[in-house]
Amino acid sequence: MKCYAFLGIQGSGKGTQADKLSSFLGFKHINIGDLLRINIKLQTPIGIEANKIIQKGELVSDEMVFSLIDATTGITEKGIIFDGFPRTIAQAENLLNEYNLLQVFYLDLNEQSAIERISARRICPNCHENYNMFSQPPIVIGFCDKCNIRLEIRQDDKPNAMHKRFEQFYNQTQPLTKLFESHGLLTVVNASQPVENIFEQILAVIKRFDNE
Ligand code: AMP
């Protein structure tokens, strides 16, 4: 199965770019964090276990991640856009061994900018739509455009959990860029640019794979 993956620190805009690319290519967008939040809301066994881990800002197990991916992908998929996967070496090896990985986009953003973006992030507890109070505000401040429910700060966007997540990112995820680079599969994009400029650079890269 063809796929692209997005790596980057929290707040680097992986979700936004993955969403745009999946619409453009007609590929399925898989965001593990969103799948976990749906499970938490539905209080499934996975959700109950994941909730405690996520609130502490830690990573859930590789096995849990693989089973979520298996449960959401089918053979009829045209391709997959992974967003926030891989985050560990075992996940990176799974991606290299089990998929036709065309390219990994590393959205490069410094920590200070990431903190500013995350602090402005809000989520609808009902439909999980993401907002940013500066760059993507809701029509009525503080309320979801679709559900009219009060927006919340994600538990794991609160300072303690956020710093733990940064630590995980630097220790486990950022080093994966070297692995993908050694396979000739890495594109680094400056994530402090406007959304459309970033997307143009991504499109310029994926044109190479039109016929694959
Ligand atoms: P995110 O919305 O991508 O920031 O993910 C929220 C949380 O879900 C993370 O802090 C982790 O606890 C968990 N998570 C998301 N993706 C992964 C992954 N690939 N591996 C392990 N845990 C993950």
Side-chain angles (χ1 to χ4, degrees):
M1 169 105 52
K2 288 184 199 178
C3 75
Y4 292 98
F6 283 88
L7 291 183
I9 195 166
Q10 289 75 12
S12 59
K14 300 185 292 293
T16 305
Q17 296 297 332
D19 220 22
K20 288 174 81 67
L21 190 58
S22 73
S23 303
F24 184 83
L25 293 172
F27 284 16
K28 188 179 182 78
H29 176 184
I30 295 192
N31 176 305
I32 306 295
D34 281 347
L35 292 176
L36 289 167
R37 282 184 283 276
I38 291 167
N39 275 275
I40 291 170
K41 186 172 177 226
L42 297 175
Q43 290 282 294
T44 66
I46 283 190
I48 292 166
E49 192 184 333
N51 196 22
K52 298 176 218 144
I53 301 169
I54 292 181
Q55 294 218 8
K56 285 190 269 177
E58 292 172 1
L59 294 181
V60 304
S61 69
D62 293 327
E63 291 65 33
M64 189 183 278
V65 172
F66 297 146
S67 71
L68 280 170
I69 294 173
D70 285 348
T72 37
T73 51
I75 44 166
T76 52
E77 238 67 80
K78 201 173 156 196
I80 300 175
I81 309 291
F82 285 112
D83 155 17
F85 172 89
R87 290 194 181 177
T88 64
I89 187 78
Q91 293 177 18
E93 282 168 356
N94 174 272
L95 191 59
L96 286 165
N97 296 333
E98 304 294 327
Y99 297 87
N100 174 13
L101 177 63
L102 299 176
Q103 196 72 189
V104 174
F105 295 101
Y106 176 56
L107 302 185
D108 190 18
L109 187 72
N110 67 52
E111 189 173 319
Q112 189 50 41
S113 306
I115 291 171
E116 282 162 19
R117 289 189 188 180
I118 291 172
S119 310
R121 199 150 75 170
R122 299 288 182 277
I123 192 168
C124 171
N126 187 45
C127 71
H128 303 280
E129 183 71 25
N130 286 295
Y131 295 89
N132 182 292
M133 302 318 276
F134 301 118
S135 58
Q136 203 191 338
I139 298 165
V140 178
I141 293 300
F143 289 86
C144 179
D145 293 347
K146 294 181 196 158
C147 313
N148 203 24
I149 283 178
R150 188 176 283 282
L151 299 175
E152 292 179 353
I153 298 177
R154 275 168 45 177
Q155 282 298 329
D156 57 346
D157 279 348
K158 294 185 177 163
N160 278 350
M162 184 166 75
H163 287 292
K164 182 88 192 176
R165 290 162 75 208
F166 283 171
E167 213 177 283
Q168 297 277 1
F169 173 75
Y170 291 123
N171 291 339
Q172 300 206 58
T173 307
Q174 197 183 42
L176 304 178
T177 54
K178 294 270 170 281
L179 176 68
F180 294 119
E181 191 176 25
S182 71
H183 282 80
L185 288 171
L186 186 77
T187 298
V188 180
V189 185
N190 172 0
S192 55
Q193 306 173 83
V195 169
E196 289 308 327
N197 296 25
I198 296 172
F199 192 55
E200 266 172 35
Q201 288 168 31
I202 291 169
L203 288 186
V205 172
I206 67 159
K207 280 206 178 97
R208 281 194 251 146
F209 308 109
D210 268 357
N211 299 318
E212 285 190 30

